[in-house]
Amino acid sequence: MRTLAQKVFDVEIASLQEVASRLDASFEEAVNTILEVKGRLIVCGMGKSGHVARKIAATFTSTGTPSFFMHPAEAFHGDLGMISEDDIVLLISYSGETEEILKIVSYLQHSGNAFIAITGNSNSTLARNAMHHLNVKVTQEACPLELAPTSSTTATLVMGDALAIALMTARDFTPDDFARFHPGGSLGRKLLARVKDNMRTDRLPFIEPGASFAQLVICMSEGKLGMVIVGTADAVEGVITDGDLRRGLVKYADIHHMPITDFMNGSPIFIEENELVIDAEALMLERKITTLLVRDDSERVTGVYQIFNQV
């Protein structure tokens, strides 16, 4: 089974290299045409091409090119009303002769909407009538029966990704733009979230400077943050991490009888609670630390942010 799987990978990789070698000026022209459109990019495909078209439309939308999928069979039962005069259409059909797709061609020509075609047949009806044609012809499908679309659908998907990335680059689409479109995803939360939204605020492990070693150990264990804050929220004198504690045990034979301020870090790193999470984590990476004390506008400690709490 592993040998068979390897063959599938080999065939599909070879197919992608084959398609990539045929990229020509039509690709650049297609990108520039989409960039000039005032409306949306509507993606349409039937069967397996339809499944691929849905994913391509989703990728366009999330990377700065407004887009949606239109089912060709539903198009002639009212969904053609989705297409406005400012829209451009991307039609996908490997054969270039899919009946439902060709019906849409006639409508688009009548309404004056430009359309781009992705096919595996440059002499097909769809390719010959398109404003721009992107050729995804493959020599071999990975299916041993040469029946199930495999290499061809992979090539189509990658062509869609190539268009999306080219458009994304041309539009100067930034990580912040991506985050705005993905507020529910991990990247979006990291780029948009504030420290105050992700910090620990309850049961903060404050300890008096005059506390005993035993009280320090108990406070650190109960706080479950791997550290304690020496002082109060309004007057922090320092922090002691579990690392400071371990190093102290090695360095000082009589640490159990020493003032805890003798082995605390008297210069903790603070961050404002309205700072972005991504900036907090950049600071921690720069300082090679995993914990920040969070303070408000009055410089009062209101929480603790730790890198393993990242969203």
Side-chain angles (χ1 to χ4, degrees), residues 28-220:
E28 295 175 45
E29 292 166 358
V31 170
N32 289 330
T33 298
I34 297 171
L35 284 171
E36 293 171 0
V37 169
K38 296 179 181 178
R40 301 152 302 175
L41 174 59
I42 300 169
V43 189
C44 191
M46 190 72 186
K48 301 297 188 295
S49 292
H51 295 307
V52 173
R54 287 181 187 275
K55 190 274 177 186
I56 291 174
T59 300
F60 281 136
T61 297
S62 67
T63 53
T65 299
S67 178
F68 64 84
F69 171 77
M70 182 179 70
H71 195 290
E74 298 291 339
F76 278 85
H77 294 274
D79 282 1
L80 285 174
M82 295 178 177
I83 306 175
S84 73
E85 60 181 9
D86 293 327
D87 296 336
I88 187 170
V89 182
L90 176 62
L91 299 175
I92 302 174
S93 166
Y94 187 71
S95 69
E97 301 294 345
T98 304
E99 181 181 355
E100 293 87 349
I101 296 294
L102 294 183
K103 286 181 179 179
I104 294 175
V105 168
S106 299
Y107 172 83
L108 296 175
Q109 290 174 330
H110 182 265
S111 63
N113 290 94
F115 67 92
I116 298 166
I118 297 180
T119 84
N121 182 358
S122 58
N123 293 316
S124 64
T125 303
L126 182 57
R128 286 187 282 105
N129 283 276
M131 177 181 243
H132 306 296
H133 173 239
L134 303 176
N135 192 348
V136 292
K137 179 179 174 57
V138 297
T139 301
Q140 181 183 3
E141 296 282 10
C143 170
L145 302 178
E146 286 287 324
L147 295 175
T150 45
S151 301
S152 57
T153 48
T154 300
T156 302
L157 180 62
V158 174
M159 184 65 79
D161 286 343
L163 282 172
I165 299 307
L167 289 163
M168 177 181 177
T169 303
R171 297 184 194 279
D172 292 325
F173 195 80
T174 68
D176 285 343
D177 295 325
F178 189 89
R180 284 199 301 274
F181 294 158
H182 297 76
S186 60
L187 176 60
R189 291 195 298 273
K190 182 176 289 188
L191 291 175
L192 296 177
R194 304 284 173 179
V195 170
K196 65 181 180 182
D197 299 323
N198 296 274
M199 65 185 183
R200 162 85 172 269
T201 59
D202 63 312
R203 295 178 290 107
L204 296 181
F206 287 102
I207 191 170
E208 293 295 328
S212 67
F213 182 84
Q215 289 171 322
L216 166 65
V217 173
I218 293 171
C219 184
M220 187 175 293

Side-chain angles (χ1 to χ4, degrees), residues 221-297:
S221 298
E222 292 179 346
K224 298 181 179 180
L225 286 174
M227 53 84 71
V228 297
I229 307 167
V230 182
T232 65
D234 296 306
V236 173
E237 295 190 23
V239 297
I240 301 174
T241 67
D242 54 2
D244 294 325
L245 185 56
R246 288 194 301 271
R247 287 186 290 272
L249 287 168
V250 172
K251 185 175 180 180
Y252 306 111
D254 59 343
I255 191 173
H256 300 79
H257 306 292
M258 292 172 56
I260 64 173
T261 52
D262 284 359
F263 51 90
M264 77 174 183
N265 174 5
S267 301
I269 308 301
F270 295 89
I271 192 166
E272 303 304 314
E273 60 183 14
N274 284 315
E275 290 291 322
L276 293 172
V277 163
I278 192 171
D279 294 328
E281 293 181 7
L283 176 60
M284 286 190 280
L285 186 62
E286 176 189 344
R287 299 296 185 93
K288 296 182 173 61
I289 58 176
T290 59
T291 300
L292 293 171
L293 298 185
V294 186
R295 57 189 179 188
D296 59 19
D297 294 338

